[in-house]
């Protein structure tokens, strides 16, 4: 039987801990047998581990990592804290033996601290992705996906993305039929459309307080539905296109047209969430030249189609 060791460190995030335990626990082989043996372990073994509002008892110690086929690293309340003694060494030894290792949400910080993700692509919760990239520059951080599979090493985005990653691993281990059964038991689709990008709030690059562009940014926000060119924006600002580009980069880190495109996507997200307007109508209301251009730009920025976004976020 495939053994999964879930490593519970101090202040482990309860959902990160329980999601893989439940998902692998639901998996059944065609003859009804359990597909996985799940063990919860901690650095000391048979100890109580604080987990936010409660504590959990981990029956196994780090020796369980050496016996596992898969190791799961849930996130912790402070994922930047140093790893407890022996944890990095145990994970590196397991990796050298070919053990599959996967992190959940900000567990990617713990994973990256071992050095095992150096030179690899990884993900984490989108809000923590910039910090992970800054702390571990040798890791290529992708905040737009639900999970990354490098073969032996996997990382997942926040919260429910752990389920997506675990179902993916079950499918690799036992095939689509076992994974589909597990997905039904978890009341989850086997594959979700789109990636993590659809959950990211598309905020505009902020201009410093008192920046000279503030009135222009407010005007752009109020006029996203208009067919504006760079020359139109420069004319409203009373400057040349070249000077406007320079000021925009200095104060927002982007260009006027890139800023406008993001404002249009954000307007479209709001309309998809809050109105019954057709996608074609929203394309015009958000300032896109055509429904096709809208769909292409929306999917590039958000990672899914306008229709799929509405289904996911309309709240019906």
């Amino acid at each position: 039987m495939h053994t999964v060791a879930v490593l519970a460190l101090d202040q482990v995030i309860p959902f990160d801990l329980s999601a893989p335990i439940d998902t692998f626990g639901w998996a059944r082989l065609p003859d009804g047998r359990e597909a996985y043996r799940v063990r919860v372990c901690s650095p000391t073994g048979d100890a109580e581990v604080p987990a936010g509002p409660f504590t959990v008892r981990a029956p196994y110690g780090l020796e369980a990592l050496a016996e596992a086929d898969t190791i799961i690293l849930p996130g912790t309340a402070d994922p930047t804290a140093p790893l407890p003694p022996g944890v990095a060494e145990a994970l590196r030894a397991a990796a050298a033996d070919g053990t599959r290792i996967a992190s959940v949400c900000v567990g990617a910080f713990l994973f990256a601290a071992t050095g095992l993700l150096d030179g690899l692509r990884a993900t984490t919760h989108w809000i923590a992705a910039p910090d992970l990239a800054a702390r571990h520059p040798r890791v290529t951080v992708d905040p737009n996906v639900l999970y990354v599979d490098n073969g032996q090493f996997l990382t997942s985005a926040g919260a429910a993305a752990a389920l997506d990653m675990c179902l993916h691993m079950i499918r690799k281990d036992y095939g689509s039929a076992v994974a589909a059964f597990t997905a039904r038991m978890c009341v989850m689709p086997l594959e979700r459309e789109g990636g993590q990008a659809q959950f990211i709030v598309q905020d505009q690059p902020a201009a410093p307080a008192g920046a000279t562009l503030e009135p222009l940014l407010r005007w752009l926000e109020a006029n996203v539905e208009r067919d504006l060119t760079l020359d139109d924006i420069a004319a409203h600002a009373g400057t040349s296109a070249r000077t406007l580009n320079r000021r925009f980069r200095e104060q927002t880190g982007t260009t006027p047209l890139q800023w406008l495109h993001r404002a249009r996507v954000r307007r479209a997200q709001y309309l998809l969430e809050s109105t019954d307007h057709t996608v074609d109508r929203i394309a015009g209301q958000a300032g896109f030249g055509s429904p096709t251009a809208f769909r292409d730009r929306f999917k590039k920025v958000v990672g899914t189609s306008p229709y799929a976004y509405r289904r996911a976020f309309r709240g019906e």
Side-chain angles (χ1 to χ4, degrees):
M1 185 184 293
H2 190 116
T3 299
V4 177
V6 184
L7 180 59
L9 300 183
D10 188 45
Q11 293 299 332
V12 64
I13 296 172
F15 185 89
D16 290 9
L17 177 69
S18 62
I21 293 172
D22 279 351
T23 307
F24 288 114
W26 277 118
R28 293 292 183 274
L29 300 178
D31 61 5
R33 289 181 296 122
E34 294 181 351
Y36 296 91
R37 177 191 300 112
V38 182
R39 292 174 172 171
V40 178
C41 56
S42 70
T44 54
D46 197 25
E48 288 191 346
V49 179
F54 54 84
T55 59
V56 297
R57 180 170 291 279
Y60 298 92
L62 292 180
E63 70 280 354
L65 302 186
E67 301 168 358
D69 301 291
T70 295
I71 297 170
I72 305 293
L73 302 176
T76 60
D78 181 8
T80 64
L83 291 174
V87 169
E89 293 79 4
L91 290 171
R92 286 194 287 261
D97 286 340
T99 303
R100 181 171 63 186
I101 304 176
S103 62
V104 175
C105 194
V106 292
F109 285 78
L110 314 177
F111 203 169
T114 67
L116 293 170
L117 292 180
D118 287 355
L120 298 177
R121 181 168 158 260
T123 194
T124 188
H125 193 293
W126 61 268
I127 205 166
D131 191 20
L132 179 64
R135 291 176 180 274
H136 299 281
R138 297 187 65 183
V139 180
T140 302
V141 180
D142 184 349
N144 296 316
V145 296
L146 294 175
Y147 60 85
V148 173
D149 181 356
N150 289 297
Q152 185 182 2
F153 303 143
L154 299 90
T155 52
S156 77
L163 303 178
D164 297 278
M165 180 182 68
C166 290
L167 290 171
H168 169 73
M169 287 191 283
I170 292 169
R171 182 166 53 184
K172 289 183 68 175
D173 292 340
Y174 293 109
S176 295
V178 174
F181 171 83
T182 308
R184 287 194 294 271
M185 296 304 293
C186 294
V187 197
M188 273 280 294
L190 185 53
E191 287 190 31
R192 281 195 287 169
E193 184 172 354
Q196 191 178 190
Q198 62 189 301
F199 301 97
I200 300 174
V201 178
Q202 300 298 327
D203 287 334
Q204 299 291 5
T212 57
L213 285 179
E214 280 189 289
L216 179 61
L217 297 181
R218 289 196 297 270
W219 178 80
L220 282 173
E221 193 81 52
N223 290 274
V224 293
E225 77 283 355
R226 293 178 55 186
D227 184 16
L228 296 172
T229 66
L230 179 60
D231 288 338
D232 293 332
I233 300 170
H236 181 83
T239 188
S240 69
R242 182 175 181 180
T243 299
L244 180 65
N245 262 330
R246 177 171 51 79
R247 288 178 180 171
F248 244 83
R249 288 199 176 277
E250 289 172 352
Q251 296 186 30
T252 70
T254 187
T255 69
L257 292 181
Q258 288 172 337
W259 197 97
L260 181 61
H261 286 320
R262 192 166 290 273
R264 285 170 170 163
V265 168
R266 188 170 62 176
R267 172 72 62 83
Q269 287 178 294
Y270 171 76
L271 293 172
L272 288 166
E273 294 169 12
S274 61
T275 74
D276 292 320
H277 299 170
T278 66
V279 169
D280 287 3
R281 181 179 177 187
I282 289 173
Q285 291 173 309
F288 292 92
S290 70
T292 300
F294 168 49
R295 293 183 181 92
D296 290 346
R297 173 65 63 172
F298 192 90
K299 188 160 189 176
K300 182 177 181 181
V301 173
V302 182
T304 191
S305 71
Y307 294 104
Y309 183 88
R310 169 170 273 170
R311 287 197 302 270
F313 292 94
R314 182 63 192 277
E316 296 178 343

